[in-house]
Amino acid sequence: MSRSTLSVLLAIAATSKLALAQPDPADPTPLVDKTYAYPSGIDQNFKPYQVDYNTAALRGPQVGYNICNSTTENQSSMCQTSMVNHIDDFCLWAPPSPNSTIGDTEQEEVAWCTKPGHGTRLIPYGALQGVQYLRTSEYIQIAGFIDQTQVNMNAQDYGGELDPHGADLRGNPLGGLMYSNVFPSNGGNNNSYQQVIDWTNFMGGGSFCITICDPASSSANQSAYCQNIYDRMGCSYNMPNNAQNGTFEVCDSDLKTPAGIYVTGGVTMTYTQPNSGVVNPPYTAVTPASSNCVTYASTALYAGLATVTPTSAAASGSGAT
């Protein structure tokens, strides 16, 4: 695929995100346009305690909060400010109550993290069963395997997508914010964080994947590499990867071809996911080449989780991978 062709398709992807979205009249400002410095923009001396607090909005206000610190860090935390930094320091969105499904609770999800210090719930020790962390020039992608019952998901739930858009542009979860210290545009400062505007997270079927796009990149690239319109096609199409159960690794990676774009007979095509019915893409997603992989022991990565237990007895078994 030529660079010029890809540029056109990236632009199409950027506009297609808004094609079916209908802002809520009571809260017409999209979540992606609500920007706050971290932590000064969302601490107790500044508003908002909640990014999405409008009780007149059709889906109501967010259920959690965005001011998260040591006083909120526990296994009942309703923190909805998430972080993705490194293989030993990232968060996933998952339900606040046990035995839930993503489809029923997508607007309520809270941050579950691998490291103390963010004011969130912590992913119980041993829940993460394999993690692949990929660095690219445009985004960070993390994929892997998880005992999802330990983050309050029903064992049989094949899940769904969380992202900062949604049909009303208020995001799923409502008011969910994302930050990172990992991008070159942050100047290599691990003590400061940039707000990530575009991100996407799939949870379910005993696996997960999350991508955060560099906020310094073009809006077209962020929209393309952090697509949210292929929400029924899962990790294999949105974030093709080589994650392996039992392996924890960090790799450099080539860029993926954005979801929905494929080549057949030398012609670049775009697949549109149907709103209902069977989803049957006419192509198989290609996993980008990776290199410079370094493996780690999970015990070394997640030592801070050693004393963390599930909020309740986990249901037996986990979803299929």
Side-chain angles (χ1 to χ4, degrees), residues 3 74 110 195 229:
R3 184 175 296 273
N74 55 65
V110 297
Q195 185 171 350
I229 61 173

Side-chain angles (χ1 to χ4, degrees), residues 133-204:
Y133 179 104
L134 298 179
R135 296 177 296 229
T136 80
S137 60
E138 295 286 340
Y139 58 85
I140 296 297
Q141 175 180 299
I142 309 176
F145 298 86
I146 187 171
D147 176 357
Q148 64 193 38
T149 65
Q150 296 196 47
V151 291
N152 285 350
M153 290 180 63
N154 180 282
Q156 305 306 317
D157 185 23
Y158 281 87
E161 183 195 24
L162 295 315
D163 64 68
H165 300 279
D168 56 7
L169 301 181
R170 296 172 63 204
N172 285 307
L174 293 172
L177 297 180
M178 181 72 69
Y179 291 86
S180 180
N181 63 16
V182 74
F183 293 110
S185 54
N186 199 43
N189 186 350
N190 287 339
N191 295 316
S192 67
Y193 298 87
Q194 293 174 294
Q195 185 171 350
V196 175
I197 305 304
D198 257 320
W199 52 267
T200 177
N201 179 192
F202 284 84
M203 299 289 294

